[in-house]
Amino acid sequence: MDINIASIKNYEGKSVPIDCAIALEGRPGDDFKIIGPVSVKGLIRNFGGTIELSAKGGAKLEMICDRCAGEFTEDVVFDISESFKENERFERGSENENPDIIYFSGDSIDLDEYVYSNLVVSLPGKHLCRDDCKGLCPMCGADLNNGECGCDTRPIDPRFDILDTI
Ligand SMILES: [Zn+2]
Ligand SMILES: [Zn+2]
C-alpha cells in the first residue's frame, strides 16, 4: 500500500496517522501463511528531515507446529519501525550515509515490503501450537497432546540391563 507523504516530507515536525489494512503476499520459503489483511496502525512523521514510520502491525498467521506437526493459527502483533529519506537529499559516500535508512523518491512510500520484513523478524525461531505442546511419540508417532499412546519411552538405564542378565 502506498502512503502519500507529500503533506509532510518538506515540513519538519509534521505527521500523518496511518490506520489501514493491507493485503500482504507471503514469499516462497515462508514457514507461515498470512490469513486475511494485515492491520497497520501508527504514525509517519517528519523528524528533522527524516521520515519516520512507527506503527503496530497485526496479522493472523497459519503455521505448522515444530513439535507435533499440527496446523494452527495465531494472531500476532508486531512493531513496525523504519526511517526513510528522500533520494535527492542523499549524496552517496557522504558521512550521512546510514544503512538503517531507506531512500525513496516521489511523494509516496510503498509500505508492504517494510510491513512484511518487520513481521518476519518479530516471529520466534520455533513455531509451537502452544507453549506446552507435548509433540509426537518418538516410537509410534502418536500426537501426545491427545493422550498417552502407551509406548515405553523411558530412557533405558544400562545398569538394569546388567541386573537382567545376572
Ligand atoms: Zn504442537
Ligand atoms: Zn507411542
Side-chain angles (χ1 to χ4, degrees):
M1 165 165 297
D2 285 333
I3 294 290
N4 192 305
I5 49 150
S7 64
I8 64 163
K9 72 171 190 177
N10 295 320
Y11 305 97
E12 289 188 17
K14 270 211 141 192
S15 65
V16 281
I18 297 174
D19 187 350
C20 59
I22 59 180
L24 209 57
E25 291 283 322
R27 308 271 165 94
D30 281 349
D31 55 359
F32 59 86
K33 206 164 107 189
I34 302 166
I35 313 278
V38 177
S39 68
V40 180
K41 273 183 198 169
L43 206 66
I44 193 159
R45 66 170 179 160
N46 184 329
F47 187 78
T50 301
I51 307 297
E52 293 194 339
L53 166 67
S54 163
K56 280 252 183 268
K60 198 180 193 69
L61 303 182
E62 191 177 281
M63 296 183 277
I64 302 288
C65 178
D66 286 330
R67 271 188 209 153
C68 70
E71 213 173 72
F72 66 101
T73 57
E74 192 166 288
D75 291 308
V76 295
V77 175
F78 56 99
D79 289 318
I80 304 167
S81 174
E82 298 289 358
S83 300
F84 304 88
K85 242 188 166 106
E86 193 166 14
N87 246 334
E88 297 153 26
R89 300 187 176 194
F90 164 63
E91 292 158 40
R92 200 159 281 279
S94 74
E95 58 192 53
N96 294 330
E97 194 169 357
N98 181 338
D100 294 331
I101 289 186
I102 298 157
Y103 293 91
F104 72 95
S105 52
D107 283 341
S108 65
I109 295 174
D110 184 4
L111 293 188
D112 292 16
E113 188 187 335
Y114 312 113
V115 173
Y116 176 84
S117 58
N118 280 268
L119 164 64
V120 170
V121 298
S122 77
L123 295 175
K126 258 194 180 318
H127 302 322
L128 295 179
C129 62
R130 56 187 214 219
D131 286 343
D132 63 347
C133 173
K134 293 189 176 73
L136 302 178
C137 169
M139 300 188 73
C140 72
D143 186 344
L144 298 176
N145 296 306
N146 298 331
E148 292 295 323
C149 54
C151 293
D152 185 359
T153 56
R154 284 174 303 178
I156 295 156
D157 188 326
R159 282 174 301 175
F160 293 131
D161 280 353
I162 295 163
L163 288 176
D164 281 344
T165 54
I166 292 168

